[in-house]
Amino acid sequence: MSRNHSTHSTSRARTIETGRKFFAYNGAIFGVIFVLLTAIVWPGLTAGFDLGITRSVVNARNGFFNVLAPLLSTIGGTAVVLVLAIVSLGILVWRKQWLQVKILFAALAGDVIIVTAFKRLVSRMRPDQSFWLGSVEDQQSFPSGHSANNTVLWLTLAIIVSTLAKNEIERSWARVFNVVAVLMPFFIGLSRIYVAHHWTTDVLAGWSLGIAWTSLVAWVYFGELAKINAHSQRPARTISSDSAEQTSQA
């Protein structure tokens, strides 16, 4: 029994270490992408590119997407994200998953602080109001808060759900949720371009920032999981050592 437990813990330790390396590389790559986007957007180097895409999208609008895109944009808005965050935190508290509570809260709080800081720092104006479908909350455009916020929320939840899955059925549902967690911020980001509340580079930056920040938080999370796993291995190792000692004495 102790040998099986030790083998499982060792396998889990390798999985955690692999995941931690993945998030480290992922965070670095998308962090660099976000910095590069900021560097070219801030001085206005992408103005022609962004305006061309926005005009093309506006000219290609049709009745079906004129309904769907604003709906997706609303789903990705602050009110819905806040409700989803509170419900998710409530479920984790109810299940007494305190580490996951701290991780999700840190991810969401950090995201809001970073997005707000860059919006004020860059102070980029949104597309002209004549392009809009619906209204906007403020005039600060870069990066897209909808894209960043939903990327952080959905990907962090996907990571948490995956790490809490204990059997094959739960892991299967976790894989389904992972797909949803990728598609939601993707389509919400596209909807922001369609309704012309954001330039294309705003959305690209929002996705990049969201992935980079989520990766950093996941890297920390997996570090904590590694400590928990190492701690759980100690009793098994002690039992194995005692058994081996008793066998040699016999």
Side-chain angles (χ1 to χ4, degrees), residues 138-164:
D138 57 63
Q139 283 295 329
Q140 295 170 328
S141 185
F142 183 93
S144 165
H146 278 63
S147 303
N149 297 344
N150 281 278
T151 297
V152 171
L153 172 65
W154 287 98
L155 293 188
T156 303
L157 285 176
I159 292 166
I160 289 173
V161 168
S162 296
T163 56
L164 291 179

Side-chain angles (χ1 to χ4, degrees), residues 12 87-106 156-157 159-166 170 221 224-225 228:
R12 181 171 171 79
V87 170
S88 300
L89 287 168
I91 292 172
L92 291 172
V93 168
W94 175 62
R95 294 187 58 179
K96 297 182 180 180
Q97 301 291 347
W98 304 116
L99 172 59
Q100 287 73 15
V101 169
K102 290 186 287 186
I103 289 298
L104 181 57
F105 181 82
T156 303
L157 285 176
I159 292 166
I160 289 173
V161 168
S162 296
T163 56
L164 291 179
K166 296 178 181 178
E170 290 182 357
Y221 176 42
E224 293 302 309
L225 291 179
I228 294 171

Side-chain angles (χ1 to χ4, degrees), residues 8 12 15 158 160-179:
H8 173 74
R12 181 171 171 79
T15 302
I160 289 173
V161 168
S162 296
T163 56
L164 291 179
K166 296 178 181 178
N167 53 56
E168 192 54 41
I169 294 177
E170 290 182 357
R171 283 189 284 270
S172 296
W173 280 110
R175 284 190 284 270
V176 172
F177 187 81
N178 289 345
V179 174

Side-chain angles (χ1 to χ4, degrees), residues 7-213:
T7 301
H8 173 74
S9 296
T10 301
S11 175
R12 181 171 171 79
R14 290 173 183 165
T15 302
I16 292 172
E17 184 59 28
T18 300
R20 202 159 188 245
K21 288 179 181 178
F22 168 78
F23 289 122
Y25 292 132
N26 206 49
I29 291 169
F30 282 95
V32 169
I33 292 173
F34 174 72
V35 170
L36 291 176
L37 283 168
T38 304
I40 62 175
V41 165
W42 203 345
L45 300 181
T46 65
F49 167 79
D50 281 314
L51 182 58
I53 292 181
T54 298
R55 281 177 172 166
S56 297
V57 170
V58 170
N59 291 334
R61 282 174 178 164
N62 63 60
F64 174 73
F65 286 108
N66 286 355
V67 175
L68 179 62
L71 176 61
L72 284 170
S73 188
T74 300
I75 291 172
T78 303
V80 177
V81 168
L82 184 60
V83 170
L84 289 174
I86 292 173
V87 170
S88 300
L89 287 168
I91 292 172
L92 291 172
V93 168
W94 175 62
R95 294 187 58 179
K96 297 182 180 180
Q97 301 291 347
W98 304 116
L99 172 59
Q100 287 73 15
V101 169
K102 290 186 287 186
I103 289 298
L104 181 57
F105 181 82
L108 297 174
D111 166 62
V112 170
I113 292 170
I114 296 170
V115 169
T116 302
F118 273 96
K119 277 182 176 288
R120 293 181 179 176
L121 180 67
V122 178
S123 264
R124 188 188 200 188
M125 295 297 290
R126 296 180 187 272
D128 189 81
Q129 189 174 352
S130 62
F131 294 137
W132 295 355
L133 280 180
S135 59
V136 298
E137 297 174 359
D138 57 63
Q139 283 295 329
Q140 295 170 328
S141 185
F142 183 93
S144 165
H146 278 63
S147 303
N149 297 344
N150 281 278
T151 297
V152 171
L153 172 65
W154 287 98
L155 293 188
T156 303
L157 285 176
I159 292 166
I160 289 173
V161 168
S162 296
T163 56
L164 291 179
K166 296 178 181 178
N167 53 56
E168 192 54 41
I169 294 177
E170 290 182 357
R171 283 189 284 270
S172 296
W173 280 110
R175 284 190 284 270
V176 172
F177 187 81
N178 289 345
V179 174
V180 174
V182 171
L183 293 179
M184 285 300 293
F186 177 71
F187 286 119
I188 287 169
L190 291 181
S191 77
R192 300 300 283 170
I193 298 172
Y194 188 90
V195 299
H197 292 180
H198 279 289
W199 304 106
T200 299
T201 46
D202 296 339
V203 173
L204 292 174
W207 284 333
S208 300
L209 175 59
I211 294 171
W213 175 244

Side-chain angles (χ1 to χ4, degrees), residues 5 9 224-237:
H5 175 78
S9 296
E224 293 302 309
L225 291 179
K227 292 177 185 177
I228 294 171
N229 187 68
H231 181 75
S232 70
Q233 279 186 286
R234 288 171 189 165
R237 288 175 177 171

